[in-house]
Amino acid sequence: MIDRGIAVLAAALSVQAFFSWRSPPGPPVWRDDLDAELALGQAALRTSACADGADQIISAACGTLRVRLVRAAEQLKTFDSAAWLRKAVMNTTAFEGHTAWIKQWRADWQAELRQSPSAAVLDASDSCQSGSPPGSCAAPPPTAAAPARVAGSHGAGARAAAASGVAEQEKSAVKRESTLEQKLSGEQAAPIIDDKLESAALQPVVSEALKMMKAEPMNTKIQEKGCEMLRYLATDEASRNAITSMKGTNAVLKAMHANPDAPDVQGYCCGTLAHLAASPVLRKTELLSHKGVRLVLKAMSKHIGSPFVQYKGCAMLANFASTGEEQAAIGALGGTRIVLDAISIQSRSKEVLGHCLGTLYNLAAHSLNFGNITSMGGVLKVQKALGNHLGDSDLQTLGKKVLGRIDTNFTSE
């Protein structure tokens, strides 16, 4: 027994030495990057544009940032309190996601913040410096009066992944867990933020956004920002359920129904539905499976000349078409033809092609859709579109997977 204890101790020391040897001196790169973005985020919140709340849209955007900073600080606190071995094997992708999100937020809103006469300079020279103690740069948790989260740009979106069939894969930065960490601990790793806590934090910002959207249903700018805010918030199952329970899905569908001629409203709202459609539970609801899918297809048909509407629409359809039943439902509504039209007409847009190829890959798994793809000249349309992007290896790989699935189904017929 003593020999075994000594062996375990020696193994632990060896693992510690290995990680110490592998790790460069000082904080890891992701930590430096995140600390810097937290400092810049705090500087943004201290500008008069965020502080005085005179502009409703900017105020809502600042609320988005405030919630994200609190979330990042809580996760850093959990990370710092972990034992060294757990730290060594933890998945730090969540922190990298926070860094990218804050950086994108600054890019989206920096111009508006600088327009304020007394706006602070948004750089790392602010009083909250890179390397500050974890959590020291975080804003206090949002209160009942906290404004809504809003994003200011269309956003690039993640490229479609045919292997998984999910076109828009913006990974949740809230509940990433390391498989190795779970095995070492002998139990499931605890989520960094509890579902109930997250829902409570989301309630004031979602409520504010929905209030704005309800007050001015024909104000396209309000509807755009409201839908995009909900998209940013819908990052995991807990947040999607929280938004749905507050009738967020209804608000998105109402915005689309009330503003059919506004392509930006349609695009932003399709993006929100894409995130909600990542939930297996929500895909079975009447709102999403019937009204949502129909409104997305209607938007894509009406705004075929808008790359934004096409790629956001395809993102929603790809996420929705995860089972045979869902694939058949989209096909029965004419979804196959609409997706092929998007690929053909918007063939020079990498965003559209990437997302719509992912949708087509999912739809081709069902025999009903497969027959429509071949009869509508889908193979030729895909090949022609890929010919516009011969230098894009990702698109070429994705296209080959789509054509391979079609060929496999054709051979088995």
Side-chain angles (χ1 to χ4, degrees):
M1 183 66 70
I2 295 177
D3 290 342
R4 180 179 297 178
I6 293 174
V8 170
L9 178 60
L13 292 174
S14 298
V15 172
Q16 184 178 29
F18 171 76
F19 281 115
S20 298
W21 172 72
R22 289 286 303 273
S23 303
V29 173
W30 66 261
R31 183 59 177 267
D32 286 340
D33 291 343
L34 181 55
D35 283 342
E37 288 301 329
L38 288 174
L40 293 171
Q42 285 296 326
L45 291 179
R46 285 192 289 274
T47 61
S48 60
C50 278
D52 60 26
D55 187 301
Q56 189 179 31
I57 296 297
I58 295 178
S59 179
C62 295
T64 304
L65 177 62
R66 185 175 294 109
V67 171
R68 178 65 65 144
L69 295 182
V70 172
R71 179 178 294 178
E74 288 294 328
Q75 292 191 4
L76 278 175
K77 183 178 179 181
T78 300
F79 177 84
D80 289 336
S81 64
W84 68 267
L85 183 56
R86 290 173 67 86
K87 282 185 183 178
V89 298
M90 271 188 180
N91 187 343
T92 60
T93 309
F95 299 115
E96 296 168 3
H98 285 312
T99 300
W101 190 95
I102 298 170
K103 186 175 182 180
Q104 183 61 49
W105 187 98
R106 291 192 300 104
D108 290 343
W109 290 96
Q110 189 167 349
E112 285 85 350
L113 297 183
R114 289 185 184 278
Q115 289 174 2
S116 175
S118 59
V121 176
L122 305 184
D123 58 31
S125 63
D126 199 87
S127 58
C128 187
Q129 295 283 350
S130 172
S132 298
S136 64
C137 295
T143 63
R149 293 178 67 174
V150 182
S153 70
H154 293 178
R159 180 164 298 234
S164 65
V166 177
E168 190 161 287
Q169 297 182 335
E170 294 187 6
K171 301 297 185 180
S172 167
V174 181
K175 295 183 176 179
R176 299 258 189 185
E177 298 172 351
S178 167
T179 302
L180 180 55
E181 179 188 358
Q182 294 178 29
K183 291 180 179 179
L184 288 173
S185 65
E187 59 184 6
Q188 184 175 8
I192 293 178
I193 295 182
D194 180 77
D195 286 359
K196 293 182 179 179
L197 176 61
E198 183 172 356
S199 296
L202 288 178
Q203 185 172 358
V205 273
V206 173
S207 178
E208 182 68 20
L210 296 180
K211 187 185 302 181
M212 289 165 49
M213 295 175 71
K214 184 177 181 180
E216 300 185 59
M218 305 305 294
N219 185 326
T220 57
K221 183 61 66 174
I222 291 291
Q223 300 306 311
E224 292 167 19
K225 298 299 184 182
C227 280
E228 182 68 346
M229 179 280 296
L230 295 175
R231 183 184 76 85
Y232 264 89
L233 284 171
T235 57
D236 57 18
E237 198 67 10
S239 57
R240 288 189 286 265
N241 288 334
I243 290 170
T244 303
S245 68
M246 297 178 68
K247 301 189 182 302
T249 307
N250 303 64
V252 173
L253 298 181
K254 286 180 180 179
M256 297 180 73
H257 183 74
N259 301 277
D261 297 324
D264 281 352
V265 173
Q266 299 297 314
Y268 280 119
C269 293
C270 284
T272 308
L273 295 180
H275 279 223
L276 296 176
S279 167
V281 175
L282 298 183
R283 289 200 299 270
K284 295 183 181 299
T285 63
E286 174 79 13
L287 284 176
L288 208 58
S289 64
H290 292 279
K291 295 181 180 179
V293 170
R294 283 171 170 78
L295 281 173
V296 168
L297 293 174
K298 183 178 179 180
M300 293 179 69
S301 295
K302 187 176 184 65
H303 300 285
I304 189 64
S306 169
F308 182 47
V309 173
Q310 299 306 310
Y311 96 75
K312 288 292 189 179
C314 276
M316 187 277 179
L317 297 177
N319 280 357
F320 184 84
S322 299
T323 67
E325 181 181 356
E326 294 157 355
Q327 292 155 5
I330 291 176
L333 293 171
T336 304
R337 176 187 57 78
I338 292 174
V339 172
L340 285 174
D341 285 347
I343 290 174
S344 180
I345 295 174
Q346 296 290 342
S347 62
R348 295 190 178 278
S349 169
K350 291 183 179 181
E351 287 280 1
V352 174
L353 193 54
H355 285 82
C356 292
L357 283 176
T359 309
L360 196 62
Y361 181 86
N362 281 7
L363 294 179
H366 197 280
S367 58
L368 170 65
N369 301 326
F370 163 71
N372 289 335
I373 291 172
T374 54
S375 65
M376 294 175 184
V379 172
L380 183 60
K381 290 180 179 179
V382 170
Q383 291 173 336
K384 186 176 180 179
L386 290 173
N388 294 323
H389 306 279
L390 295 177
D392 192 315
S393 59
D394 290 338
L395 277 181
Q396 295 299 318
T397 299
L398 181 55
K400 289 179 181 178
K401 289 182 178 180
V402 174
L403 294 173
R405 169 164 281 188
I406 295 174
D407 182 64
T408 299
N409 289 344
F410 178 80
T411 303
S412 62
E413 284 288 304

